[in-house]
Amino acid sequence: MTNAGQGAVTAAAMPAGTTIVQYTQGDGSQQFVTVPVSISPAGEVQAYQIRAPSSLPAGVVMATPTGITSPQQLAEESARKRELRLMKNRYKNRVAARECRKKKKEYVKCLENRVAVLEQQNKALIEELKQLKDLYCHKNE
DNA sequence: TTACATGGGCGTCAAACGCT
DNA sequence: AGCGTTTGACGCCCATGTAA
């Protein structure tokens, strides 16, 4: 996660190679921009390019909550916030799912190792029991 | 070579759970 | 109650193996 010059930055990855970035300006106002994002083959977000509002490229949407007056604008704002929240949730969950699978794989590997160890121990105990039985039989002869 | 089956990995959603 | 985390279930995609 990079910093937009001033204030905290949060972002949610989007599938189409773009992301919406929310950042807080020095005066505390929230800003949103969609920016191109680089995603590694592993799906990790690697970098954001954040431009000054005056140099936003074509296709980049920027919105600010300040000055919202009409109910329609309010609705759009809340829809946008909801979408942003969903995207952030999806990103978190994607990472969590990867972690969960990794953990599960390690757990299974661990169980398999334990099975192998217990099988060896079992074999050794069976062998030991056999030897003790032999010893006992010969003693009684 | 091609069509199909199978297995593994991934993203997403939803439910359950724990924490504050 | 609301929020974040974890994980099972589902569908999709891709790689590999196999029979025709």
Side-chain angles (χ1 to χ4, degrees), chain A residues 39-44 46:
Chain A
I39 299 186
S40 74
E44 304 291 337
Q46 296 190 311

Side-chain angles (χ1 to χ4, degrees), chain A residues 23-31 64-66:
Chain A
Y23 66 99
T24 308
Q25 289 195 311
D27 61 0
S29 66
Q30 301 281 303
Q31 300 291 332
T64 163
T66 59

Side-chain angles (χ1 to χ4, degrees), chain A residues 9-21:
Chain A
V9 178
T10 57
M14 293 172 71
T18 60
T19 188
I20 294 176
V21 175

Side-chain angles (χ1 to χ4, degrees), chain A residues 85-126:
Chain A
R85 198 182 67 243
L86 286 179
M87 285 189 302
K88 281 158 79 177
N89 282 349
R90 281 191 209 110
Y91 176 72
K92 273 190 182 178
N93 200 249
R94 195 182 307 147
V95 173
R98 253 183 245 142
E99 207 50 41
C100 180
R101 285 171 181 134
K102 188 178 163 192
K103 195 174 153 190
K104 194 173 180 179
K105 260 185 160 182
E106 281 166 6
Y107 175 69
V108 168
K109 210 180 272 180
C110 192
L111 278 184
E112 285 170 349
N113 285 342
R114 185 157 164 72
V115 166
V117 166
L118 289 175
E119 277 175 351
Q120 280 304 314
Q121 284 181 357
N122 200 32
K123 267 187 193 171
L125 286 171
I126 287 170

Side-chain angles (χ1 to χ4, degrees), chain A residues 130-141:
Chain A
K130 200 175 156 190
Q131 285 171 2
L132 287 172
K133 272 184 181 171
D134 282 350
L135 197 65
Y136 181 74
C137 287
H138 288 132
K139 227 179 178 180
N140 286 346
E141 280 172 6

Side-chain angles (χ1 to χ4, degrees), chain A residues 68 72-83 85:
Chain A
I68 290 176
Q72 191 190 345
Q73 279 177 310
L74 278 172
E76 282 172 6
E77 173 65 13
S78 76
R80 201 165 45 75
K81 278 186 178 171
R82 176 183 143 80
E83 193 55 36
R85 198 182 67 243

